[in-house]
Amino acid sequence: DAQDYDGAGRLFQAALRVDPRHVASLCNYGLVLEVTQDEDAGPRQEDVDALQAETLYRRAERLAPDNIDVVYQLALFAKNVLGDVDEARGLFDRILAIDPAEATTLTAYGAMLIAAAQPAQAQGLLTRVLAL
């Protein structure tokens, strides 16, 4: 079932018991926790899920600091869940230092800057995407 987040969470937990350093499982389990934050559960459960997701993302980042997918997921988490635009900006910049033509990052970074009322900086990033 495509919507079986509980089942997916259990599978990622099992995978991490076998290999606690499996970067893809860390990120994917973090994403499951992030996506399934239940507003009806109240702020405490949301905070627990978000804290656990952040812990998983940061552990994956420590294990694979130059993995673009890991850094990108952490950047989105920083922006969307933590509301930390400065951290997201730093993470997006790290990705672009690794791969200046990373189109997904350029697009997400540009969209974030537009939302942050920084259209001139966003235009530079989005122009780079169009040139790819």
Side-chain angles (χ1 to χ4, degrees):
D1 181 7
Q3 298 294 317
D4 185 9
Y5 294 116
D6 289 336
R10 285 191 299 276
L11 289 173
F12 287 124
Q13 288 174 334
L16 290 169
R17 280 193 297 275
V18 172
D19 182 1
R21 298 172 57 88
H22 191 262
V23 171
S25 292
L26 289 165
C27 284
N28 286 320
Y29 185 34
L31 185 58
V32 166
L33 291 170
E34 181 181 343
V35 168
T36 59
Q37 289 185 58
D38 185 358
E39 293 178 14
D40 296 333
R44 276 200 182 142
Q45 185 59 45
E46 285 181 49
D47 291 346
V48 169
D49 289 347
L51 181 61
Q52 192 174 9
E54 181 177 12
T55 299
L56 292 165
Y57 289 141
R58 293 200 188 278
R59 187 165 38 160
E61 180 197 21
R62 282 192 305 277
L63 291 168
D66 293 330
N67 182 313
I68 288 172
D69 294 330
V70 170
V71 180
Y72 183 79
Q73 195 61 40
L74 184 55
L76 291 181
F77 182 82
K79 177 178 80 73
N80 296 332
V81 177
L82 302 178
D84 190 340
V85 173
D86 290 333
E87 180 178 9
R89 179 190 305 263
L91 292 164
F92 285 141
D93 285 338
R94 253 180 60 201
I95 294 168
L96 295 175
I98 296 166
D99 181 359
E102 214 295 303
T104 304
T105 299
L106 289 165
T107 303
Y109 196 178
M112 181 185 80
L113 291 174
I114 289 170
Q118 297 174 3
Q121 290 178 340
Q123 182 178 5
L125 294 170
L126 298 174
T127 299
R128 286 169 57 186
V129 171
L130 295 173
L132 296 176

